[in-house]
Amino acid sequence: QLTLVESGGGSVQAGGSLRLSCAMFGSIFTIGDMGWYRQTPGNERDLVASISTDGVTKYADFVKGRFTISRDKTQDILYLQMDNLQPEDTAVYYCRADYLFDDNIHDWGKGTQVTVSS
């Protein structure tokens, strides 16, 4: 069983930065690709950034050049560095881990709130 715990959310002004962390516990050896998603009330959860097992990263167009995803495999932590935050980045951010042998199976964290004021 895998547990994901996000942290690092908070409130910042536009132009500020935050770094989100996602700590992994349990069956870490089953983790394949990982990603950060975000969700606002009444909307679906959208992919923000992903990282494959061999370190290939992908970003949503709305965060390219501002956010950076990384994974520290020695510490079992997934990061999302968010720079030049804008009010439209306000959302709950979730960490997701895909099962190594079937990427249709995922585990999610409980999320961390990010609020950006203008």
Side-chain angles (χ1 to χ4, degrees):
Q1 187 166 352
L2 180 67
T3 301
L4 304 173
V5 180
E6 300 98 335
S7 61
S11 297
V12 296
Q13 291 191 324
S17 298
L18 286 172
R19 187 176 78 159
L20 304 184
S21 299
C22 173
M24 312 166 210
F25 303 94
S27 303
I28 297 169
F29 63 93
T30 65
I31 295 175
D33 297 348
M34 298 193 72
W36 286 97
Y37 289 70
R38 70 187 190 188
Q39 188 173 26
T40 54
N43 294 306
E44 293 187 351
R45 209 168 282 188
D46 293 325
L47 175 66
V48 174
S50 65
I51 186 166
S52 69
T53 53
D54 53 2
V56 177
T57 58
K58 295 181 181 179
Y59 297 92
D61 286 343
F62 52 78
V63 302
K64 278 183 181 176
R66 300 189 298 124
F67 291 11
T68 303
I69 188 171
S70 61
R71 179 177 175 182
D72 184 340
K73 290 188 176 181
T74 64
Q75 301 288 332
D76 297 323
I77 300 176
L78 181 73
Y79 295 104
L80 185 68
Q81 176 66 41
M82 305 187 295
D83 297 318
N84 190 22
L85 283 160
Q86 300 300 315
E88 53 267 33
D89 295 318
T90 295
V92 178
Y93 283 73
Y94 297 89
C95 171
R96 187 180 103 169
D98 295 344
Y99 184 54
L100 181 60
F101 304 109
D102 185 347
D103 58 10
N104 291 311
I105 300 174
H106 326 294
D107 280 300
W108 292 91
K110 295 186 181 300
T112 185
Q113 176 71 47
V114 171
T115 303
V116 186
S117 58
S118 58

